[in-house]
Amino acid sequence: MMKQLFLLLFSVLTIAAFPQNMDYAHYVLNNLGSEDFKGRGFVGGGDKTAAGFIKSQLDSLGVKPVGKSYFQPFTLTVNTFPEKIFLSVDGKELIPGKDFLLDMHSGSADGKFPVKTVTLSELKSGIPKNLKKSFVLLQNDTQDKDAAKTIRSIVYANLLNAAGYLLPEDKLVNEPATEVFKHVVIKVKSNVIDSLPKVIKITAKNKFLKNYQTQNVFGYIQGKTDSFIVFSAHYDHLGKLGERATFYGANDNGSGVTMLLNLANYFTHHSPHYSILFMFFSGEEEGLLGSFYAAQHPVVDLKKIKFLFNLDMVGTGQEGIQIVNSTVFKRETSILQEINDKNHYLVKIKLRGPAANSDHYPFYDKGVPSFFIYTLGGSKQYHNIYDKPDQLSLFAFPNLVKLLIGFEKQYQ
Ligand SMILES: [Zn+2]
């Protein structure tokens, strides 16, 4: 009992003593990127499991809700495939996530379909008829450098009026969809199918979620002033495709959430000058939906936000970090550079202009001074089933935390 008490005291002291507690970081990241969180999407309530976890972490760290609740509910619309998916090509069963993805715009399909190969040159002499009950594989037999683009637009618009398409790709990248087609688009890894496949068997049933209620999660720490430094990160990811393929989203963006909770751990033990607001967004992958909602329904006066740091994909850092908006907010950039030069925290700080590529954007658009920081180098796993906690080095993680803490101290 005494030994346990000593250990407990010891770990509490350790957490309090260091700005970055890597044990805590791994604990959070491993949870967010585990099977239980179902890829933090909208199949099986993965988003709710993740939001509940973040809330309980904030609560136990002593980070207070803004108002009555940690949650800000909002609704979104998204296409999903919650049930078992089956696909075989010429009798060979393919594995979802590993061998193929369904483009998330796809509708349902069930049955056996012949595969017709059509070349781009053939299309020049007219659109082939009677493909209604077939899947089409479009082949590029031209020198056209935009051929891949052309194929995509034909496939998405279903110009050939087919039941579906096979779209061979070298790399599988999953993207969510907020609308649904009548046809089916299968992105299949080029090296797992024959160049002229003959027949497919498919069972895939989509569920179009209309006005699904999800939530942002907010918490704050009172500082000496009422102006805020905000740290934001989206906690949602792509969820699951069928029962077997999970998109764990360890880097995107378990890493950012982990960094926010580490900052929360620090600032609850070391009173900050500014009040610190933490914003965890849902619906980022569907088009920054949570952050747009939060910027339109702000929980604190946007004018009181002195600066906002959005962290999205911060699980690597072998080649330093990149800062979106650093060319706009030059004074803040030079503060970060100065702290970094003095302490040698990061190997490189690369500058970049504005971009609407993550959750800082809806706030920046409303006049909130903001940066979006992501790490460079390391794991290249992106929007696939391999973006898992064990792929991440967290190379720059402790020092990026220190850099942000240093900024809060120095910024006036
Ligand atoms: Zn993403």
Side-chain angles (χ1 to χ4, degrees), residues 58 62-66 218-232 259-260 262-268 270-280 300 304-307 309 404-405 407-409:
L58 293 175
V63 179
K64 302 271 179 294
V66 185
F218 304 135
Y220 89 106
I221 299 166
Q222 181 66 48
K224 295 183 185 77
T225 79
D226 279 337
S227 32
F228 286 92
I229 296 284
V230 178
F231 295 104
S232 72
M259 194 164 285
L260 259 59
N262 268 252
L263 286 161
N265 187 12
Y266 176 82
F267 285 119
T268 47
H270 303 80
S271 275
H273 172 74
Y274 292 102
S275 293
I276 310 283
L277 173 64
F278 297 99
M279 302 202 288
F280 303 86
V300 303
K304 285 192 173 165
I305 300 178
K306 188 89 171 141
F307 211 82
F309 288 92
L404 295 169
I405 290 167
F407 180 93
E408 192 279 330
K409 279 201 177 68

Side-chain angles (χ1 to χ4, degrees), residues 19-44:
Q20 76 296 337
N21 184 295
M22 290 313 282
D23 286 343
Y24 182 57
H26 285 290
Y27 166 77
V28 171
L29 187 65
N30 289 338
N31 264 289
L32 294 169
S34 70
E35 204 62 59
D36 290 351
F37 284 66
K38 300 185 175 71
R40 305 185 307 277
F42 309 108
V43 166

Side-chain angles (χ1 to χ4, degrees), residues 234 237 252 284-285 382-383:
H234 76 89
H237 193 55
D252 182 10
E284 189 270 354
E285 303 288 5
Y382 176 74
H383 280 214

Side-chain angles (χ1 to χ4, degrees), residues 314-331:
V314 290
T316 67
Q318 285 89 329
E319 292 164 32
I321 62 166
Q322 184 132 27
I323 310 182
V324 168
N325 276 356
S326 49
T327 58
V328 180
F329 302 103
K330 294 197 171 118
R331 192 168 76 83

Side-chain angles (χ1 to χ4, degrees), residues 13 29 44 48 52 65 126 139 154 164 211 230 267 275-276 355 394 410:
L13 286 172
L29 187 65
K48 297 203 164 53
Q139 225 167 35
I154 295 169
N211 301 320
V230 178
F267 285 119
S275 293
I276 310 283
L394 299 182
Q410 205 159 308

Side-chain angles (χ1 to χ4, degrees), residues 45-62:
D47 68 312
K48 297 203 164 53
T49 305
F53 174 80
I54 294 166
K55 175 192 157 178
S56 75
Q57 292 303 307
L58 293 175
D59 198 16
S60 57
L61 289 170

Side-chain angles (χ1 to χ4, degrees), residues 174-176 234 236-238 252-253 284-285 312-313 382-383 387:
N174 190 6
E175 293 294 349
H234 76 89
D236 66 296
H237 193 55
L238 303 166
D252 182 10
N253 186 26
E284 189 270 354
E285 303 288 5
D312 190 358
M313 300 183 69
Y382 176 74
H383 280 214
D387 179 9

